[in-house]
Structures are given as structure tokens and as C-alpha cells.
Amino acid sequence: MTATQEAPVAEIGRDRRRKEDQRLITGRTRWTDNLTLPGMLHLAMVRSPFAHANITGIETQAAKSAPNVVAVLTGRDVADDQGSLITAWPITEDQKSPTHLPMAVDRVAFAGEVVAVVVARSAAEARDAAELVDVDYEELPAALDLKQASDDTVLAHPDLGTNKATFWQLDSAGQGSGGAVDEAIEAARAEGVLIEREYRQQRLIPAFMEPRSIVCDPTGEQISLWSSTQVPHIVRFALAATTGVPESKIRVVAPDVGGGFGGKLAIIPEEWITFCVGRRMGKPVKYTETRSESLMAGHHGRDQWQRLTLAATKEGRVTGLKVDLLADMGAYAALVGTGVPVLGAWMFNSIYKFDAYQFNLTPVYTNKTWVDAYRGAGRPEATYAIERLMDELAAELGRDPLEVRAANWIGHDEFPFTTVAGMTYDSGNYDAATEKAKQMFGYDELRAEQRRRREAGDRVQLGIGVSTFTEMCGLAPSRILGQLNYAAGGWDHADIRMLATGKVEVVTGTSPHGQGHETAFSQIVADRLGVPFEDVEVLHGDTQVSYHGMDTYGSRSLVVGGEAVVRAADKVIEKAKPIAAHLLEADVQDLEFSGGRFGVRGTDKAIGITDIALAAFTGHDLPEGAEPSIDASASFDPDNFSFPHGTHLCAMEVDTETGGVTMRKYVSVDDIGTIINPLIVSGQVHGGLVQGIAQALWEEAVHDDSGTLVSGSFVDYLLPTAADTISFETDHTTSPSTYTMLGTKGVGEAGTIASTPAVVNAVIDAVRHLGVTDIQMPCTPERVWRAIHDAGAGGADPTTGAAAAHFDESTGTSGTADRTTGGAQ
Ligand code: MCN
């Protein structure tokens, strides 16, 4: 036992390739759909082709007689078992939430809703037989357009009497007064600058790589459910709450999951149906959705209309912001769907200081698939609005957009800073991130080039887009969630098991689906306990292994789950200390822990923590009263969110004759506090950027007049590939969070939140001199061309935005637009 051992290299901050990569990238893992159990049956769903219809009859005989069909069950057949799927976040006490049965019984409320399920010996036979189920529908008028639906002329659910779920407000002048913001608006109208705009957040589809798949095995002591989900703990809770089966009798396993992006943050009808059918059959059953089902009937994201009024002085100081938001809920209140726009409510003010703010939210039901979290959930929508508005303000004042932002943002010496929306930001340095981004981007040079090209009247014009964003992540302080009527807490949990062989097992309540927790959490534990990175194993995603947890979403896993790991590690050290003192024949007070070893100050006597784990395991020589284990557990509930920020700069070239757009340069400087694994972080930023850029340029879920999803395949829903993007330049600054022991902030959504406005601002900046002040997303060549054409034809309306006046949802043909069109080189 000596203290003279080399201290391990610091793991935190080190580029580590992901431990998970080998099995994930080579496809050697077992996805849910790979699972085959003895005697397993297969399910296929029968789905409504109508957006809104009464079910007047279902004929199942032909399907039942099909080869190898074991059963056909309709909603009525399981009526006694069915309860409404839960919504965890009714945002007000009086929120109206339509009953959401996993299988419709009398009426369907969106195209794709399940009306029956076929059980067969193979998936192919189940699908073939599903075609034979004959459902009689009586079509009803459908509420499809968000704005029209808010007028209640056609009801998505006639029994609710309205499409409006509720009304929710945040008002800096006190609930409902509106005084402060109205005063700011009137003052700006009289002698300042007033920017009034209406922006559309189009509907998006969280198109993860692995479609959802579920296996239920009811044959054991417990009912086991494997699901490609982000939230095994929430699924277990929801199944117990809606089926009456005790939680302790349900095991939910999320094996390796091929992405989620919020789209697997739910208890989905298909999970409930698979669980229910498995129990009824008494045999293992499996359901795997097709890609078409995934796009059509999984939940969608965004889908809002934002009416915005920004008040400022002539000198460019923002004085107030009013937001009136219509949010499409789709047919049902999803798990956290109504809460998504509420998350945005605290972000419209972003990094800017002003005194008057009012946010008015009306969530509206329509006859389309329901809307829930999609990467960023509420925060990208808010960031888009404010970052577009700041550009409009700069344009109105004829000033540089970064200069106008800098004049309004919180100074780095002003933290912690409580915003007009009531959030207290932990830390940040907007000047530093912006300066770094400007240097990397070559901001001044590109502005000079832009001027030259404008003066020369080039066909291809250059635009520069800015987004100086912040977001709140690390969902979430339970206390705040409680105040917001959220049904659960926001804590997370970790167990650390110090094995006798010197290895360390870490159990986390988070449930990664591509984020690399096994690697990053191993790095944290390796540093904290001074053990080799390779000796740490991180377990997750099985409620039997990780009994407590709140899963993965809201960029929470590191700042909540990772902090629980830190605290558990510290408890391990505390537990090991008296044993170390005993074995070293020293006083506890004289011990210091460093590099994985307890040493006696002033001597060379020391003992490694893994030796203490072995000593505890044998129990041969422990101090009086010591447990024969140094394992420890910790739950962590954050005091606050964490507030990453950054500056993103984008250069776009726009062909003024074709409307084609080409990205030339993208620079991001993110500040996420302490970074655990820079390689993982840069992967997260890159992936996030692509998703945000895709909203700006390509993706849109389009329904036709009957409510059928037109962009129902990847031919029409333009999910980008690596070939569609350029090589991004990413870097960071570091303002450690003051709310986490490691100083970390989340990163999983930052790229998506920041990039959409940067890109659209760049496209508009390229053609602003032609009179264009707005182009609705996605900025397809057609929309860009129309905006330029209409502005040139005198159609530009500086108050409402040229293209907004011409935006026609029915011709919103982004689904068939060619993303390579344009050829602006
Ligand atoms: N990290 C780090 N240092 C930091 C912050 C994070 O090293 N300062 C690491 C973390 O340890 C973790 C990863 O970066 O390995 C992401 O961490 P975090 O920001 O905590 O986000 P979560 O792990 O909670 O992941 C959720 C987030 C969300 S909300 C969406 S949506 C999203 C995303 O992550 N969906 C993803 N990234 C995704 N990545 C993949 N591959 N697939 C998805 O579906």
C-alpha cells in the first residue's frame, strides 16, 4: 500500500470514441425487432383512412379466416380493458382533453388511428389479413387547418364543444393585466419602432432511424415489454396506471434504440395494444411499425402560428414583446404535448433584456395525428421568432444585426440574471461566443463580399444569418414542474456498484438512444473514483436493472442523470473512507482521496478504492458497524434548469432567378459549460444543426384537404442526408453552470434550436434589398422565387412580410420540392 502511483489521465474533457460505437455502428446489437421468443405472435394494425369519421361497423370474419390468423380484435372487443391514454401535462386545471383510447371504438379523429388489430403467426400474414378487415365509416367534417380550427366552425371532437384545449398566459405585469406590454407597444407605435410579424412553424416529423417496435412477453412472473422507447420508466408507470397491473409486475426494457428526437417520448397506443393483446393471448407478441405508419401515425412536432409584436426605441433598445400563439395539438393531448409551447414561453425573450412581455397560448385540437415533443420542444419555435424579429429590427434601423443584438443582451457580469419571463439564467458570455464566431466566420469579409455582390447586381446573392440563442434544458426542477401542473418530477437517479473484481457498475435512470451515455458517464466515474475508464460499465434502459429513473429528453441526462452519478460516486468515497482508515490504521481525518487512492497525509501509506471494494466484499476485516459494501445510490433534483447559449452564423447563396438556395458556410460557437466528451458534443451539435437546417429548408408534413398525409414517405418528406449538408465549423466557449457540480449544461438540442433562424435569416438577408422581408419555412426554391417575384412586383409589405401574404398552405409543396434545385454556385 503506497501512495506513489501515477494519477490517471483526466477523463473529463477528453475525446473518447463511444464505447457503444462498436455494437451500434456494426449493427451487432439487438434491436427490439430482432427479438424472437418461443411461440411469438405478430400484430398488424388496421388504421383509419379518414381524418374524422364515425365507425358504423367492422367486419372481421374474412381476416379471421385468413391463413395463420389467431385473432382479430376491435376497439369494442377490448372496451372493458381500455382507458384513456395519459397526458402528463394538462397545463391548466380546466384543460379539455378528449378521451384517447388506444383503439378507437365509435369514432376516429385522425387518419392513421388504430381501429382494430390482427394477431397472426407471422408479421406478413398479420399485415395481409389486416387488409381484409372491412370497416364501415361515416365520414365527418374534419378540422384540419389550425387557424380555422381555432374558430370552432368544424369541431375535431364534437363532444368537447370547442377545439380550444385551454388558454395559458405569462404576463410580466401580473396575470392577465397586459398593461406593461401594451404600454410598450403604444410607446413604440408613437415614437419608436414596432415590428409586427406572423410566423408559421410548420409541422415536422421526428423521423428516427429505427421505427418503433414492441415485444410483450406475458409468460413470466412479470409482464415484460421491450420497446424502442426513450422512456421505459414512464411507459412502465403509464401501463400500470391505465391497466391496473401493479408497477412491480411490469418490466419495461428499452434495448439499444435507434434514435428518438422526442418522437419516442410517449406511451403510444401501439405499446398499450401490444401489452393488452399479449396479456389476452397469454403468449409473446410483437408489433413493428412500417415507415409509412411511423410517419403517418407517430406524433409530429412544432405546428404553430406565432403572431408577434416587438416594441423598440429608435435607438434600437427592445422595450417589449407580445406573443399570441396558436399551437396545433392534433387530435389528442399527447403525453407532454400541451406543455411543449409552454416550455417556449420562457424563451421568447431569449438573451435580451427588456421589461414588458406577454405570452398568450391557445392549444387547438385538429383532426391530424397528435403533436408532442420534437428536438427542442417549444424552444426552437421561440428562438426562431425572436431571432427573426431581431433581424427585422436591425433591418428597420439599417444597422448590423449583431450590433443590435449586442445592445440588448445580458452582460456577462450580470449573471445570475432573472429575465422578464421569470427565469434565472445561471451563466453566460454572449460577447465571447459572438466574437469567436465572428472570427471563425470571417464576418467582416463576408459582409464586404455581400456589399460587392449587391452593388454588382449579381444573379446569385449572398446572405448572412445570425442566431445568438439561449435555451433552457436539463428538465427539470421538480418543484417548478409541480407549479406547472406536470404530473411527474424531474429528478434522476444513479447507483454505483463497486464489484469485488475491481470493476465498477453504474446504473443510470436515463435512457440513451444515440447520445453516448455509456461513454460520457464512464468518463465521469473514472475521474471521480480514479478508476480506469475501461473498468466502468454503464447499465440503463431496463426497469428491472434501473428501477428508478426519469429517462432521456429535454437535454437532461448529463445535467440531471450525470449529476446523480457524481453524487453517487461521492457517496462511494465517503462510504469507503472509514474502511480505508481502518485498513491503513489511520485516523479518518488524516485521509485524502486522489487518483483513486486514499492516502494518509504526510506518509506514503495508501490504499486503492478497488482494494477497499474487495475488502468490503470479503468482510473479513471491517471497522465496527461498517456495511460489507461500498456501493451507493443517489437521486438528484436540480434547483434550476441550465441555460446553454451560443452564436451561430450562416452564409447562404440565393439564386435570384430560380429561388435556389445553397449553404456556403456555417459556424457555431456553443457554450455548454464544462464539456465531458468533446467528440460526443460535436456529434450532438452536428446532428442538431442538420435537423434545424432541415426545418429551415426542406422538411414539412403536408396534409391534403381530406387530412391524408401527403408527405407520407421519404420521397416526399425531405429528410436530409449527409450529402445535403456542408462541413460545419463548430467550437465553444465555457461558462460553467453554477447549478451543477461539474458545471455542465446540456447540448442535445442546442444545434436544432439555434440553426433554423440562422439559416432563414441568411436566406432573407440575401434578398432583403429586393424587398423581401419574410419567407415561410421551409424556404423551398418555389417560395424563395415567389417572395422575390412578388416583392419585385410591388407586393412587398414591410409590416406583414412579402411572402407571408402569398403563403398558401395548400400549395406548400415542399414535400415534392427538389432540395437540389437552384444551383446557386
Ligand atoms: N455532453 C457532454 N458535455 C456536455 C453536455 C453533454 O459530454 N456539457 C454529452 C452527454 O454526456 C451525452 C450527450 O452529450 O452523452 C448529450 O447530452 P445531453 O445534452 O444531456 O442530452 P441527453 O443525453 O439528455 O439527450 C437528449 C437530447 C434530446 S432532448 C434529443 S431530442 C436528442 C439528442 O439528445 N435526440 C437524439 N440527441 C440525440 N442524438 C441521437 N443520436 N439520437 C437522438 O434521438
Side-chain angles (χ1 to χ4, degrees):
M1 294 182 193
T2 72
T4 55
Q5 284 206 348
E6 249 177 61
V9 178
E11 281 291 343
I12 291 181
R14 185 170 173 187
D15 275 339
R16 275 278 188 189
R17 282 182 187 277
R18 295 187 307 178
K19 288 182 169 185
E20 301 88 331
D21 281 351
Q22 186 62 23
R23 66 174 199 273
L24 292 179
I25 292 173
T26 60
R28 276 193 212 127
T29 186
R30 195 163 60 174
W31 310 102
T32 303
D33 192 46
N34 299 134
L35 204 67
T36 299
L37 299 174
M40 191 164 78
L41 300 170
H42 298 261
L43 309 187
M45 305 296 161
V46 180
R47 296 178 184 275
S48 165
F50 294 107
H52 197 192
N54 285 325
I55 300 170
T56 52
I58 305 186
E59 179 47 61
T60 57
Q61 205 43 54
K64 280 179 177 155
S65 313
N68 282 320
V69 169
V70 177
V72 179
L73 297 168
T74 65
R76 199 166 294 287
D77 294 331
V78 297
D80 289 347
D81 294 340
Q82 286 205 107
S84 189
L85 290 172
I86 60 168
T87 167
W89 203 347
I91 52 174
T92 58
E93 295 294 344
D94 62 354
Q95 176 176 315
K96 293 185 169 64
S97 300
T99 303
H100 185 187
L101 297 177
M103 258 199 278
V105 176
D106 296 319
R107 189 173 59 89
V108 288
F110 72 95
E113 186 158 9
V114 180
V115 294
V117 57
V118 175
V119 189
R121 293 195 206 289
S122 76
E125 285 163 322
R127 276 193 202 128
D128 285 350
E131 301 281 322
L132 302 175
V133 175
D134 193 6
V135 186
D136 281 334
Y137 294 99
E138 177 191 62
E139 209 177 340
L140 298 168
L144 296 170
D145 177 78
L146 171 56
K147 278 189 180 174
Q148 284 170 12
S150 70
D151 292 341
D152 284 342
T153 34
V154 176
L155 294 179
H157 297 279
D159 50 327
L160 276 192
T162 175
N163 292 326
K164 296 194 255 309
T166 187
F167 175 76
W168 191 92
Q169 187 178 67
L170 187 68
D171 189 341
S172 62
Q175 207 61 16
S177 97
V181 85
D182 289 342
E183 271 172 37
I185 289 170
E186 286 322 309
R189 198 187 304 281
E191 53 189 20
V193 183
L194 203 60
I195 310 285
E196 293 174 280
R197 290 287 185 276
E198 190 167 31
Y199 295 139
R200 173 89 175 122
Q201 291 288 328
Q202 77 269 35
R203 201 173 247 256
L204 299 178
I205 305 179
F208 27 75
M209 225 187 310
E210 181 203 12
R212 289 167 311 170
S213 180
I214 307 136
V215 170
C216 174
D217 181 5
T219 59
E221 272 294 293
Q222 288 179 307
I223 305 174
S224 298
L225 191 92
W226 288 261
S227 180
S228 173
T229 178
Q230 295 173 224
V231 287
H233 297 93
I234 292 176
V235 169
R236 176 182 58 180
F237 171 82
L239 285 173
T242 52
T243 62
V245 178
E247 220 170 328
S248 57
K249 293 285 178 203
I250 301 174
R251 173 188 181 192
V252 178
V253 184
D256 275 327
V257 171
F261 308 114
K264 292 175 181 169
L265 194 193
I267 160 87
I268 56 171
E270 292 84 350
E271 267 162 339
W272 189 94
I273 293 168
T274 309
F275 187 81
C276 165
V277 174
R279 283 179 74 202
R280 281 193 165 226
M281 297 286 148
K283 286 188 172 169
V285 292
K286 183 199 281 186
Y287 168 71
T288 300
E289 68 183 1
T290 62
R291 182 59 71 179
S292 308
E293 287 178 297
S294 180
L295 295 176
M296 172 176 61
H299 79 240
H300 292 173
R302 315 276 192 265
D303 210 344
Q304 299 177 353
W305 272 110
Q306 308 168 320
R307 212 169 63 228
L308 307 148
T309 311
L310 183 89
T313 64
K314 278 197 185 110
E315 292 70 40
R317 192 174 61 78
V318 177
T319 52
L321 175 67
K322 186 170 183 175
V323 179
D324 291 297
L325 202 77
L326 284 182
D328 194 335
M329 297 289 98
Y332 299 107
L335 189 73
V336 297
T338 344
V340 164
V342 169
L343 286 177
W346 288 285
M347 288 288 106
F348 276 89
N349 53 293
S350 190
I351 61 173
Y352 309 113
K353 294 187 285 188
F354 50 88
D355 296 331
Y357 173 54
Q358 192 184 63
F359 171 90
N360 301 307
L361 165 67
T362 308
V364 177
Y365 294 113
T366 60
N367 292 114
K368 289 176 285 186
T369 191
W370 59 96
V371 175
D372 206 334
Y374 173 53
R375 204 168 192 171
R379 293 151 289 158
E381 297 91 316
T383 303
Y384 180 82
I386 185 68
E387 289 305 295
R388 288 281 301 105
L389 290 175
M390 292 307 279
D391 256 34
E392 295 308 305
L393 176 62
E396 188 73 22
L397 298 167
R399 284 169 58 187
D400 180 274
L402 278 175
E403 184 196 310
V404 171
R405 283 168 169 82
N408 283 286
W409 68 43
I410 303 158
H412 66 266
D413 51 357
E414 294 182 85
F415 292 95
F417 185 90
T418 300
T419 70
V420 68
M423 279 289 151
T424 301
Y425 292 180
D426 45 3
S427 60
N429 190 334
Y430 310 134
D431 298 284
T434 302
E435 204 38 53
K436 193 167 198 175
K438 276 178 80 174
Q439 295 304 327
M440 288 165 63
F441 191 68
Y443 188 78
D444 295 336
E445 294 79 0
L446 281 168
R447 281 278 179 221
E449 181 185 333
Q450 179 185 45
R451 274 194 297 277
R452 279 199 305 278
R453 286 163 77 161
R454 277 191 184 174
E455 281 158 18
D458 285 1
R459 167 178 161 175
V460 177
Q461 289 289 325
L462 179 67
I464 295 167
V466 170
S467 169
T468 51
F469 82 108
T470 191
E471 62 129 336
M472 52 188 246
C473 63
L475 298 180
S478 301
R479 180 179 44 85
I480 296 183
L481 291 179
Q483 287 161 10
L484 294 173
N485 221 23
Y486 185 68
W491 49 267
D492 223 301
H493 184 83
D495 305 303
I496 296 187
R497 300 181 195 139
M498 301 297 292
L499 305 181
T501 50
K503 308 290 181 197
V504 182
E505 250 176 20
V506 179
V507 180
T508 172
T510 65
S511 195
H513 39 281
Q515 292 89 350
H517 296 177
E518 289 169 36
T519 306
F521 291 8
S522 295
Q523 290 177 265
I524 294 173
V525 171
D527 259 10
R528 209 77 185 174
L529 296 181
V531 295
F533 167 80
E534 293 75 14
D535 287 351
V536 185
E537 176 129 15
V538 177
L539 308 175
H540 55 79
D542 180 343
T543 59
Q544 201 69 348
V545 176
S546 146
Y547 199 82
H548 303 289
M550 281 291 173
D551 306 318
T552 288
Y553 42 85
S555 304
R556 69 185 304 275
S557 301
L558 178 60
V559 294
V560 187
E563 284 288 310
V565 169
V566 173
R567 282 159 169 78
D570 288 352
K571 283 188 181 175
V572 167
I573 296 167
E574 279 314 302
K575 253 180 119 176
K577 211 178 219 173
I579 303 177
H582 174 76
L583 295 175
L584 293 167
E585 295 175 345
D587 196 297
V588 169
Q589 314 303 326
D590 294 334
L591 293 189
E592 56 191 7
F593 183 72
S594 161
R597 300 175 74 74
F598 287 97
V600 185
R601 259 182 229 105
T603 75
D604 66 351
K605 288 205 303 184
I607 185 168
I609 194 153
T610 51
D611 298 323
I612 297 171
L614 179 61
F617 168 76
T618 63
H620 295 165
D621 184 16
L622 298 179
E624 198 58 37
E627 273 181 31
S629 155
I630 56 168
D631 296 354
S633 302
S635 293
F636 174 67
D637 196 343
D639 285 337
N640 195 356
F641 297 90
S642 82
F643 297 90
H645 72 84
T647 296
H648 288 219
L649 298 173
C650 172
M652 296 291 295
E653 293 189 324
V654 177
D655 186 324
T656 55
E657 285 186 16
T658 66
V661 299
T662 306
M663 187 172 288
R664 166 141 156 216
K665 195 165 193 174
Y666 197 102
V667 164
S668 73
V669 174
D670 286 284
D671 194 325
I672 54 166
T674 308
I675 292 178
I676 304 300
N677 184 326
L679 196 59
I680 289 181
V681 162
S682 103
Q684 286 294 316
V685 172
H686 278 240
L689 290 179
V690 177
Q691 272 176 313
I693 293 167
Q695 173 169 16
L697 298 181
W698 302 304
E699 292 184 24
E700 182 172 24
V702 179
H703 291 83
D704 69 12
D705 290 346
S706 65
T708 302
L709 183 68
V710 180
S711 52
S713 80
F714 286 147
V715 174
D716 299 310
Y717 190 81
L718 296 185
L719 196 73
T721 66
D724 297 307
T725 59
I726 60 167
S727 187
F728 310 125
E729 290 170 45
T730 63
D731 207 334
H732 63 271
T733 52
T734 306
S735 307
S737 171
T738 47
Y739 290 101
T740 53
M741 283 172 79
L742 296 176
T744 54
K745 302 180 181 184
V747 75
E749 296 156 293
T752 308
I753 293 168
S755 56
T756 310
V759 175
V760 176
N761 279 342
V763 172
I764 291 169
D765 187 56
V767 290
R768 189 181 287 282
H769 63 296
L770 303 176
V772 177
T773 60
D774 192 23
I775 301 169
Q776 300 285 0
M777 295 185 290
C779 298
T780 58
E782 182 190 341
R783 286 191 185 147
V784 175
W785 182 87
R786 277 187 193 284
I788 298 168
H789 185 263
D790 292 346
D797 176 347
T799 5
T800 57
H806 298 272
F807 178 68
D808 177 354
E809 274 188 281
S810 62
T811 60
T813 50
S814 67
T816 50
D818 180 352
R819 61 180 154 233
T820 59
T821 312
Q825 297 301 327

